[in-house]
């Protein structure tokens, strides 16, 4: 998976790399952006580099992939990818995404998500793609539902971050 880039009509997706760290810091230091995410707002470039190192490790091991999303003018607009890929006794991935706040509700993920899903079901050969949504993140839930995902469960107190347990909505879509 290392080095695979994707594209849509208006966006380029390239593997997250050190060259993205200043943009990633500006993006993920925004408290509203990370409100429904399992991270605290990033405090410095070292924290951004740690996220990039995590993403690079996922790609190197084949356990996931995370792309930087840039518009055709080169502006950073977010990230997307697979936070996990599971091959043992299945073939599934966990998709995740985030968009810079000034670009919320402008259709970025409506265009990018189908490209990521095609890659998952096609090149990666996944049979099932899941997404975890923190209750309250209505925009993410609606996006997934528009793209054929079904909410299968509420996983009560499933995850622990920011000093407390959080429910998660489990969404999934199967290969066509």
């Amino acid at each position: 998976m290392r080095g695979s880039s994707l594209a849509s009509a208006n966006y380029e997706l390239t593997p997250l790399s050190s060259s993205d760290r200043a943009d990633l810091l500006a993006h993920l230091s925004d408290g509203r952006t990370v409100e429904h995410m399992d991270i605290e707002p990033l405090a410095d470039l070292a924290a951004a580099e740690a996220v990039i190192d995590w993403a690079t490790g996922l790609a190197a091991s084949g356990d996931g992939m995370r792309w930087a999303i840039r518009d055709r003018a080169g502006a950073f607009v977010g990230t997307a990818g697979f936070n996990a890929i599971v091959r043992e006794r299945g073939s599934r991935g966990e998709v995740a995404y985030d968009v810079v706040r000034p670009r919320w509700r402008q259709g970025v993920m409506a265009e990018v998500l189908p490209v990521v899903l095609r890659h998952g079901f096609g090149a990666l050969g996944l049979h099932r793609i899941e997404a975890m949504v923190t209750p309250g993140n209505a925009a993410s839930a609606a996006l997934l539902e528009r793209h054929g995902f079904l909410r299968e469960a509420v996983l009560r107190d499933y995850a622990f971050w920011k000093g407390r347990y959080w429910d998660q909505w489990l969404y999934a879509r199967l290969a066509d």
Side-chain angles (χ1 to χ4, degrees), residues 39-148:
I39 61 172
E40 296 286 348
L42 300 187
D44 53 31
L45 284 173
E49 194 66 48
V51 172
I52 292 165
D53 289 346
W54 165 79
T56 303
L58 280 179
S61 67
D63 292 330
M65 183 70 202
R66 199 71 182 202
W67 293 276
I69 306 167
R70 292 188 180 278
D71 65 20
R72 293 296 179 178
F76 181 90
V77 297
T79 75
F82 295 98
N83 286 353
I85 293 176
V86 177
R87 300 286 185 191
E88 187 174 327
R89 296 188 313 205
S91 183
R92 65 184 178 275
E94 180 190 338
V95 72
Y97 42 81
D98 46 80
V99 174
V100 296
R101 190 153 42 112
R103 300 294 290 268
W104 285 1
R105 300 195 190 349
Q106 293 183 13
V108 173
M109 286 314 303
E111 182 173 330
V112 169
L113 184 59
V115 172
V116 173
L117 296 176
R118 271 194 305 278
H119 184 74
F121 288 128
L124 298 180
L126 300 175
H127 177 71
R128 175 184 169 93
I129 296 178
E130 300 172 341
M132 297 291 188
V133 177
T134 301
N137 191 347
S140 187
L143 172 76
L144 292 165
E145 290 169 5
R146 284 193 309 272
H147 288 90

Side-chain angles (χ1 to χ4, degrees), residues 35-39 83 94 132-135 154-170:
E35 177 182 1
H36 296 107
M37 296 170 68
D38 62 351
I39 61 172
N83 286 353
E94 180 190 338
M132 297 291 188
V133 177
T134 301
V154 175
L155 305 174
R156 297 177 305 129
D157 282 355
Y158 185 76
F160 186 87
W161 66 75
K162 299 178 184 166
R164 62 171 271 219
Y165 284 96
W166 298 81
D167 291 352
Q168 293 287 277
W169 291 332
L170 172 62

